[in-house]
Amino acid sequence: MALSYVGRHLIRRTHVTLGLPCRRGGAVYGSGYRAEEEEIRQKLQGFPGGSINLVKQESGIAVMTISNPARMNAFSGTMMLELHDRVSELEEWTEGKGLIVRGDAGTFCSGSDLNAVRAIADPQEGMKMCMFMQNALTRLLRLPLISVAVVEGKALGGGSELTTACDFRLMATDSEIRFVHKHMGLVPGWGGAARLVRIVGSQNALKLLGGAQKVDPAYGERIGLSDGTVDPLEGAALEAAEQWLSGFTKGPAPVIRAVKKVVVSGRELPLEDALRTEREVFGTVWGGPANLEALARKAKHK
Ligand SMILES: CCCC(=O)SCCNC(=O)CCNC(=O)[C@H](O)C(C)(C)COP(=O)(O)OP(=O)(O)OC[C@H]1O[C@@H](n2cnc3c(N)ncnc32)[C@H](O)[C@@H]1OP(=O)(O)O
């Protein structure tokens, strides 16, 4: 992307994606992590099952489906690997504007596959698995796509963490998001706590994590975790999410992507860096086709 000034400025310390300090290949962690990543990849291969399916639509909205219905869409090891691949695919999708993340068969995701959890009980290996998922989910949240998680059924443990890696969450009327980690003798490890605090504030995050509280749609909307409630009927939630998201993705891809980029940099970078990134992103749309077209038609905003 044309962020040459920011690129030149930051390239000395790190490779730049979006003006954000991402490592080469989009990784969040540095080169020391690469050997560990290879090790955990080998381990995760040993826990197969399910899939992460991605459909990129002409509308510029992609739908990512977490699918492992026999285990309430729990994340097997190979699904974690596939998540990485799907995120890489989306990073390359220059026509994209939006992303919907959903679960298969009427439920969202019941977290980490407990069979894998039992087999990766060693703390060092657990931390490597966490880094792997933190990496994938941080990259997911930083995509230049406006993303929404559509929660039907249950989003538990790692599944609740996954919802926080999207820009927005919509909940079906009978659904719940629940950070059950405490009841498993755990805390979130996929970056879910850090993101949750930013979404609902530390007081609410403490309640949700400390009490492993069930969040229904009404409670979710009250604390800002949910951005709206949708019909739970089969297919209706996805349709409603597409319609809801189109309110933000209408327009040319470069402009929508620029919107997401300035929000991500504002959220993640110190002010001076965020301002510099904003200026550079501005430079990619100023005088661009959409800008010239709006000027020519003398757009009024009544
Ligand atoms: C850093 C990440 C931390 C984590 O994510 S730790 C994992 C947190 N998640 C959990 O503890 C979820 C445990 N599961 C449950 O509470 C319940 O299964 C759940 C999701 C409420 C569904 O309850 P029910 O509707 O009664 O259905 P059920 O219990 O019969 O489940 C259907 C089949 O799905 C399986 N399942 C559900 N969640 C799973 C999971 N996370 N890993 C592995 N298998 C899982 C469950 O064992 C059952 O399989 P089976 O039919 O007995 O072979």
Side-chain angles (χ1 to χ4, degrees):
M1 65 174 294
L3 289 180
S4 55
Y5 175 75
V6 174
R8 270 202 304 278
H9 181 78
L10 289 176
I11 206 137
R12 268 172 271 125
R13 49 187 163 100
T14 180
H15 177 70
V16 169
T17 302
L18 238 191
L20 291 168
C22 291
R23 265 66 183 191
R24 275 183 201 290
V28 175
Y29 293 106
S31 53
Y33 164 66
R34 236 166 271 147
E36 294 187 341
E37 180 178 335
E38 205 33 59
E39 202 184 302
I40 197 68
R41 276 181 177 277
Q42 301 285 336
K43 187 96 190 177
L44 293 174
Q45 283 290 359
F47 301 98
S51 58
I52 308 291
N53 306 321
L54 183 65
V55 177
K56 289 180 279 183
Q57 306 180 128
E58 290 249 321
S59 61
I61 294 180
V63 180
M64 188 194 280
T65 304
I66 315 301
S67 179
N68 192 2
R71 294 181 176 170
M72 308 293 281
N73 299 332
F75 261 89
S76 68
T78 53
M79 287 166 73
M80 293 182 190
L81 295 170
E82 278 188 36
L83 179 69
H84 256 251
D85 295 345
R86 299 289 97 84
V87 172
S88 299
E89 210 178 310
L90 288 168
E91 283 169 344
E92 302 296 320
W93 189 37
T94 51
E95 299 84 32
K97 300 192 277 184
L99 172 68
I100 294 173
V101 178
R102 63 186 288 271
D104 204 357
T107 194
F108 190 75
C109 171
S110 64
S112 201
D113 184 331
L114 291 169
N115 303 301
V117 170
R118 280 180 207 108
I120 312 182
D122 169 65
Q124 293 305 321
E125 290 197 326
M127 281 165 65
K128 286 178 199 159
M129 184 271 285
C130 276
M131 285 172 85
F132 190 82
M133 286 302 282
Q134 284 182 1
N135 204 346
L137 295 181
T138 303
R139 287 168 54 206
L140 179 71
L141 186 56
R142 285 177 179 171
L143 287 169
L145 308 171
I146 300 179
S147 57
V148 59
V150 187
V151 181
E152 295 173 276
K154 293 179 196 300
L156 303 180
S160 61
E161 296 193 59
L162 172 59
T163 71
T164 64
C166 291
D167 298 310
F168 300 107
R169 284 143 295 280
L170 296 176
M171 296 179 72
T173 40
D174 55 358
S175 69
E176 71 178 57
I177 298 177
R178 193 170 181 193
F179 294 81
V180 296
H181 306 73
K182 184 190 157 194
H183 288 169
M184 301 296 294
L186 295 171
V187 292
W190 297 358
R195 292 187 296 269
L196 184 66
V197 167
R198 284 164 174 76
I199 296 166
V200 299
S202 58
Q203 296 291 105
N204 285 317
L206 203 49
K207 286 181 192 163
L208 299 193
L209 300 182
Q213 287 181 346
K214 276 188 193 178
V215 180
D216 65 17
Y219 184 28
E221 284 197 44
R222 211 160 56 241
I223 61 175
L225 184 60
S226 174
D227 298 280
T229 304
V230 294
D231 199 318
L233 289 178
E234 204 186 328
L238 179 59
E239 207 178 303
E242 296 217 63
Q243 188 158 8
W244 187 89
L245 191 55
S246 70
F248 305 99
T249 56
K250 206 182 290 164
V255 179
I256 310 303
R257 294 167 71 85
V259 167
K260 175 68 187 278
K261 286 171 191 172
V262 293
V263 170
V264 172
S265 65
R267 183 168 61 201
E268 295 200 20
L269 295 176
L271 183 61
E272 281 190 15
D273 293 339
L275 292 175
R276 191 169 50 237
T277 301
E278 184 172 314
R279 191 176 68 228
E280 293 295 331
V281 174
F282 182 82
T284 67
V285 287
W286 176 260
N291 178 225
L292 294 179
E293 193 269 322
L295 291 172
R297 90 179 121 84
K298 297 188 176 139
K300 291 196 193 301
H301 314 283
K302 291 183 176 175

